[in-house]
């Protein structure tokens, strides 16, 4: 399961990876009410993630790393959501990995400078038949794709498999 954390919208995407084959399972967005206090919004995010883990039983989770922008308050709030996105799977006993935005873009598009639109287009090409309604869900699926690709590479290295 890939998670693209945000306090207002947190994207999630679930895929099945068998070798280098990927299959879309589900995706969506957890939205919180901006009028609610931050602690309640974080609890809502946690509760929804726990429901998703109970429903889909993912084996692993991958979370996108936070980028720092000019607005310190916004970056801090994003960090809160990211903390919940890291903690929730760990509490559920799910292994968690983290990936930076450039690593995700390289894994999905082939270049770390890819635009959001390019990432979304490649996610749709890599997961045919997936109907992705929001960019947050597409971003979360991109994180899951990145994890699946890098995980396969790490497994090959660990097993001593040489690629031609």
């Amino acid at each position: 399961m890939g998670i693209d954390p945000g306090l207002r919208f947190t994207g999630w995407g679930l895929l099945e990876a068998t070798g280098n084959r990927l299959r879309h399972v589900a995706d969506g967005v957890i939205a919180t009410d901006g009028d609610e206090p931050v602690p309640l919004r974080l609890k809502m995010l946690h509760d929804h993630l726990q429901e998703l883990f109970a429903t889909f039983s993912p084996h692993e989770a991958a979370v996108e790393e936070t980028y720092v922008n000019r607005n310190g308050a916004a970056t801090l709030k994003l960090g809160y959501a990211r903390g919940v996105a890291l903690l929730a799977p760990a509490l559920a006993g799910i292994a968690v990995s983290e990936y930076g935005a450039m690593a995700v873009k390289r894994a999905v598009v082939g270049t770390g400078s890819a635009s959001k639109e390019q990432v979304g287009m490649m996610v749709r090409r890599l997961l045919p038949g997936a109907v992705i309604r929001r960019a947050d869900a597409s971003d979360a699926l991109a994180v899951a794709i990145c994890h699946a690709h890098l995980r396969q590479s790490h497994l090959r290295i660990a097993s001593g498999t040489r690629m031609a």
Side-chain angles (χ1 to χ4, degrees):
M1 176 179 277
I3 303 171
D4 179 35
L7 189 55
R8 180 68 184 106
F9 299 107
T10 291
W12 62 272
L14 190 68
L15 56 84
E16 181 181 306
T18 307
N20 62 357
R21 293 178 190 252
L22 303 175
R23 184 181 70 81
H24 176 264
V25 175
D27 65 79
V29 174
I30 302 167
T32 65
D33 183 351
D35 293 332
E36 293 288 333
V38 171
L40 290 178
R41 293 169 73 186
L42 295 174
K43 181 185 181 312
M44 176 185 270
L45 176 58
H46 174 268
D47 292 348
H48 279 281
L49 286 171
Q50 293 296 76
E51 287 175 23
L52 290 169
F53 300 148
T55 300
F56 293 107
S57 302
H59 298 287
E60 300 173 47
V63 178
E64 187 168 22
E65 291 179 352
T66 304
Y67 62 91
V68 178
N69 61 30
R70 293 182 195 148
N71 183 339
T75 301
L76 188 58
K77 287 180 181 178
L78 178 59
Y80 296 158
R82 188 168 178 279
V84 171
L86 291 168
L87 179 62
L91 288 174
I94 300 167
V96 185
S97 299
E98 304 172 71
Y99 300 97
M102 287 184 68
V104 172
K105 291 175 181 182
R106 271 194 305 270
V108 175
V109 180
T111 177
S113 62
S115 69
K116 246 184 165 8
E117 292 76 21
Q118 288 173 309
V119 172
M121 188 267 308
M122 283 305 296
V123 166
R124 284 174 176 79
R125 289 193 68 135
L126 292 169
L127 301 173
V131 178
I132 305 162
R133 292 174 184 83
R134 290 193 52 98
D136 304 288
S138 177
D139 291 347
L141 285 166
V143 174
I145 291 167
C146 173
H147 179 67
H149 288 319
L150 293 177
R151 183 177 172 278
Q152 277 304 114
S153 297
H154 293 303
L155 290 174
R156 284 188 187 112
I157 290 168
S159 71
T161 303
R162 292 181 55 137
M163 301 303 291

